[in-house]
Amino acid sequence: MGSTGAAVGKPAKPESHLAMVRRARRINRELAEVYPYAHPELDFRNPFELLVATVLSAQTTDLRVNQTTPALFAAYPTPEDMAAAVPERLEEIIRPTGFFRAKARSLIGLSAALRDDFDGEVPGRLADLVKLPGVGRKTANVVLGNAFGVPGITVDTHFGRLVRRWKWTEQEDPEKVEAEVAAIFPKSEWTMLSHRVVFHGRRICHSRKPACGACPIASLCPAYGEGETDPDKARKLLKYEMGGYPGQRLSPPPDYPGSPAPPLGAG
């Protein structure tokens, strides 16, 4: 499998840019069939909750964030509430997500900025979002794409790893990755493309041992063979609903085929 197929002893013909674009778009179509239920894996009910959850998701799993935010939003449901939080109490609630002191400073700071500069509402513009404490371009794109319906590409570690494996880009810098991948796809695809790629990275195309033998796009992948190619062994590497396990959300969308994640402290 993969994009080889050249005769032994002859170097594979370099892929043209047009051929890469066609292959990339086919991968997106195939992933849309595999993950028609792809979605943001952070629980949220409004833009503020998504913004806070995304800030908390740095250097931890979405599952751990989702297990932590129910108590957080019960205590601080609005930016005004969170801006007035006693730092030590806020830190204790978000401690399970790691780096809790720095994250608490960001949450109090961004909440104060929302209160003072945006009438307590999360702004729907990239330029405004990235000015908030602790909010970078990746976080802003998550919020814009999923709370406001503004197309955006979210370059997290999974996304960057996969698009480099697929030879869509060779860039390492997230903004350059975003720009090069954005040029391949229509703007209307950006948000869902991000979800599909991240879903695939978390479930099948893992960092250390990708499940190549169970991958539905193996024939389109230049990196096929980097992971386990035996189908039976590869299937044992599948994660979340693909492997028969709970997902990361405690409150997944209605069309999610797996089971909800357990709350903090359960099991």
Side-chain angles (χ1 to χ4, degrees):
M1 292 188 184
S3 58
T4 55
V8 175
K10 290 186 179 180
K13 185 178 178 182
E15 185 178 44
S16 69
H17 179 74
L18 178 60
M20 181 276 289
V21 169
R22 286 174 171 163
R23 180 172 57 81
R25 292 184 177 186
R26 186 175 168 196
I27 286 175
N28 183 41
R29 291 195 299 272
E30 298 274 345
L31 292 181
E33 292 186 12
V34 177
Y35 309 110
Y37 50 86
H39 57 272
E41 292 190 89
L42 291 167
D43 287 327
F44 70 98
R45 295 168 296 185
N46 55 57
F48 176 63
E49 290 192 357
L50 179 58
L51 177 61
V52 168
T54 307
V55 169
L56 289 176
S57 70
Q59 306 297 315
T60 191
T61 63
D62 287 357
L63 170 59
R64 184 50 58 91
V65 174
N66 293 335
Q67 291 173 325
T68 303
T69 49
L72 178 65
F73 294 131
Y76 311 108
T78 69
E80 291 82 0
D81 295 321
M82 198 168 288
V86 175
E88 291 77 14
R89 186 181 175 217
L90 177 58
E91 288 171 8
E92 196 54 38
I93 294 174
I94 67 172
R95 180 185 287 267
T97 69
F99 301 96
F100 56 91
R101 290 190 180 91
K103 289 178 180 180
R105 284 195 298 273
S106 292
L107 294 186
I108 291 172
L110 73 83
S111 296
L114 293 177
R115 178 195 64 197
D116 298 340
D117 302 332
F118 298 101
D119 297 321
E121 299 291 333
V122 176
R125 294 194 324 137
L126 182 71
D128 292 329
L129 285 167
V130 296
K131 292 177 184 175
L132 298 172
V135 178
R137 191 176 179 92
K138 182 185 83 170
T139 295
N141 275 332
V142 169
V143 173
L144 290 174
N146 299 291
F148 293 100
V150 177
I153 289 175
T154 303
V155 183
D156 70 355
T157 54
H158 300 286
F159 190 95
R161 179 178 78 250
L162 267 62
V163 298
R164 284 187 288 272
R165 274 183 178 163
W166 295 335
K167 307 298 184 189
W168 295 1
T169 181
E170 294 181 353
Q171 300 292 341
E172 295 283 343
D173 177 78
E175 285 197 32
K176 292 178 180 177
V177 171
E178 180 186 340
E180 291 199 0
V181 175
I184 297 172
F185 297 93
K187 198 170 184 178
S188 59
E189 286 289 309
W190 289 354
T191 299
M192 285 308 300
L193 170 73
S194 299
H195 292 325
R196 293 166 192 148
V197 173
V198 171
F199 257 59
H200 193 62
R202 285 176 169 164
R203 286 149 177 78
I204 296 178
C205 195
H206 310 134
S207 176
R208 293 203 176 104
K209 200 166 186 183
C212 295
C215 180
I217 58 164
S219 63
L220 299 169
C221 181
Y224 175 79
E226 283 188 12
E228 179 58 67
T229 56
D230 179 87
D232 292 329
K233 292 179 181 178
R235 274 192 289 273
K236 294 177 182 177
L237 299 173
L238 301 181
K239 295 182 179 178
Y240 302 112
E241 78 285 352
M242 300 294 282
Y245 304 107
Q248 298 203 85
R249 292 186 69 163
L250 278 65
S251 302
D255 62 344
Y256 179 65
S259 54
L264 197 64

